[in-house]
Amino acid sequence: MMRAFQVTEPGTIQPIEKEMPAIQRADEVLIQVKRVGICGSDLHIIHGSNPMAVYPRVIGHEVAGVVEAVGSGVTEVCLGDRVVLEPICSCGECYACRIGRANVCEKLQVYGVHRDGGCQEYMVLPVRNLHRLTDHVDISEAALVEPFTIGAQANWRGGVQKGDVVFIIGAGPTGLCCLNIAKAKGAICIISDLSEERLAFARQWGADHTIHAASVDVCAEVLRLTQQMGANIVIDAVGSPTLVEDAVHVASVAGRVVTLGFSEQPSQLTQVDMTKKELTIAGSRLQTDQFPQVVQWFNDGTIQPGEMISHHFPMEEIQSAVRLIENEPNRVRKVLLHVNE
Ligand SMILES: NC(=O)c1ccc[n+]([C@@H]2O[C@H](COP(=O)([O-])OP(=O)(O)OC[C@H]3O[C@@H](n4cnc5c(N)ncnc54)[C@H](O)[C@@H]3O)[C@@H](O)[C@H]2O)c1
Ligand SMILES: [Zn+2]
Ligand SMILES: [Zn+2]
């Protein structure tokens, strides 16, 4: 038997004992889970505000571990390798899958949401859902690969290129991952937040300009900073309906607006703003094919995510970790659970 933490129903997280998983197919790998990052979407599952979640559920989709055993057909990873989980499973047949956009598969299943995730000592996974890191990547930092793939996807959806001006709304973990990758691509980055603490960290992490949204007219400031051009790419990493309106307003001609939020409230957008500037408005959900590039950036040191981790807890203290994130969001960047040392 092994230890796991399960959200039995909204509002209740409980330690449970689970059967040790066993390899059943040639393409499967047994991993010992080492670290799991806690993300906003985990909190939604805990509180019952993620309509996609199915209960009871072992949460955790930001997972780093070590290979314990491999199926007979596995050649990509070996015993002892450090690996990260690519948490999406797709049908391979629907329109999205056929055009290489498996992240929005009609039958999408995500580990930690629709299937049991990383808050358990061991997992058996198809090898195609695992990516190998070199041994010098710290195992705690490895758990951040998944959130960085979210940032990579948003940059890809926005077509961010060297020299572009990127305005990121929100300097939470998601906005910071978008920032780090936009900087790696050679963009000029403006980022806004309501929290001075989060903006201070964003500056330390390479933001060229920060905007304190609680005290400044954000749209006017973006236009001022860009000599009235606006931002070529605006990434909404907050997800409130009025911010999409701001994003369309401050996007430059031929600009791209990328949305990451899941708000069900309508935004007021006028056609003229979109047509006149010929804007592209792109949703960005999870990621497609971003793991190899992000893993390479972790391996070669292009991304050095260590400072993004603000807290560590043993898995047994998941409740305290959740309370900390909820009570002191501005002190927290990424919280990691240690499942096995
Ligand atoms: N599409 C995806 O694949 C995906 C993946 C991960 C997260 N998300 C979404 O991204 C968003 C951010 O996630 P997170 O984990 O960083 O959340 P978070 O709550 O930690 O961070 C949000 C940040 O936005 C700031 N903020 C709030 N209102 C603002 C405003 N008006 N202007 C500027 N900043 C403001 C907050 O101060 C906070 O720092 C959420 O909506 C989440 O659901 C989407
Ligand atoms: Zn996440
Ligand atoms: Zn599909």
Side-chain angles (χ1 to χ4, degrees):
M1 299 296 276
M2 64 169 182
R3 296 174 297 124
F5 271 79
Q6 189 183 59
V7 181
T8 334
E9 58 184 355
T12 315
I13 312 179
Q14 278 182 343
I16 56 164
E17 294 267 297
K18 274 184 81 177
E19 210 57 59
M20 266 293 288
I23 291 176
Q24 280 165 355
R25 290 190 351 217
D27 68 336
E28 287 178 336
V29 176
L30 173 71
I31 69 163
Q32 184 187 46
V33 178
K34 296 286 191 187
R35 303 287 183 273
V36 174
I38 304 181
C39 157
S41 58
D42 297 316
L43 302 187
H44 285 299
I45 299 173
I46 293 169
H47 295 307
S49 47
N50 178 335
M52 293 164 279
V54 187
Y55 301 89
R57 179 62 56 233
V58 172
I59 54 172
H61 57 274
E62 302 176 2
V63 181
V66 170
V67 174
E68 281 270 317
V70 297
S72 58
V74 171
T75 52
E76 299 87 339
V77 297
C78 306
L79 297 195
D81 279 351
R82 292 180 173 193
V83 289
V84 291
L85 170 65
E86 175 168 0
I88 65 172
C89 304
S90 51
C91 77
E93 288 167 11
C94 72
Y95 174 71
C97 285
R98 290 200 310 273
I99 65 162
R101 304 266 296 274
N103 56 322
V104 287
C105 170
E106 285 174 7
K107 295 185 179 146
L108 183 73
Q109 296 229 323
V110 180
Y111 284 97
V113 183
H114 312 86
R115 300 179 174 200
D116 279 352
C119 287
Q120 52 185 335
E121 287 187 277
Y122 294 90
M123 297 175 83
V124 165
L125 298 156
V127 69
R128 67 173 175 280
N129 285 87
L130 294 172
H131 297 270
R132 195 171 67 83
L133 288 152
T134 61
D135 290 344
H136 66 261
V137 177
D138 177 77
I139 195 72
S140 291
E141 295 184 5
L144 273 74
V145 168
E146 195 277 346
F148 274 87
T149 65
I150 305 296
Q153 180 81 2
N155 274 270
W156 174 64
R157 296 288 287 148
V160 174
Q161 294 186 7
K162 191 171 187 320
D164 285 345
V165 176
V166 179
F167 171 42
I168 298 159
I169 307 175
T174 304
L176 290 171
C177 288
C178 294
L179 167 68
N180 202 259
I181 288 182
K183 288 308 298 175
K185 287 180 176 288
I188 299 150
C189 295
I190 307 170
I191 191 164
S192 66
D193 203 284
L194 299 171
S195 152
E196 290 279 23
E197 278 161 287
R198 288 197 156 179
L199 290 176
F201 183 75
R203 274 194 295 277
Q204 192 183 317
W205 246 36
D208 298 282
H209 305 280
T210 55
I211 302 177
H212 187 224
S215 61
V216 172
D217 177 339
V218 175
C219 292
E221 186 63 4
V222 172
L223 293 172
R224 188 186 72 79
L225 288 168
T226 57
Q227 289 80 46
Q228 306 304 313
M229 170 182 71
N232 308 125
I233 294 96
V234 184
I235 300 175
D236 174 13
V238 178
S240 86
T242 55
L243 295 176
V244 183
E245 297 163 12
D246 288 356
V248 166
H249 183 66
V250 300
S252 73
V253 288
R256 281 83 71 190
V257 170
V258 179
T259 68
L260 284 156
F262 291 90
S263 168
E264 292 179 315
Q265 300 304 314
S267 306
Q268 293 207 320
L269 302 176
T270 48
Q271 283 186 29
V272 62
D273 293 324
M274 295 184 272
T275 310
K276 194 174 155 207
K277 294 193 279 191
E278 207 173 47
L279 297 186
T280 302
I281 299 186
S284 183
R285 181 177 180 199
L286 303 164
Q287 56 76 43
T288 348
D289 297 334
Q290 302 295 339
F291 268 83
Q293 174 71 81
V294 172
V295 163
Q296 190 191 323
W297 280 332
F298 271 62
N299 283 341
D300 70 18
T302 304
I303 296 179
Q304 299 197 5
E307 290 171 336
M308 181 91 156
I309 303 168
S310 57
H311 298 81
H312 296 261
F313 287 86
M315 178 171 67
E316 281 64 27
E317 291 175 25
I318 183 170
Q319 314 257 24
S320 312
V322 168
R323 268 198 303 277
L324 174 74
I325 299 171
E326 291 182 335
N327 296 339
E328 301 191 60
N330 295 339
R331 272 186 58 214
V332 171
R333 287 185 291 277
K334 211 26 125 175
V335 177
L336 293 189
L337 299 175
H338 290 225
V339 179
N340 287 289
E341 279 312 322

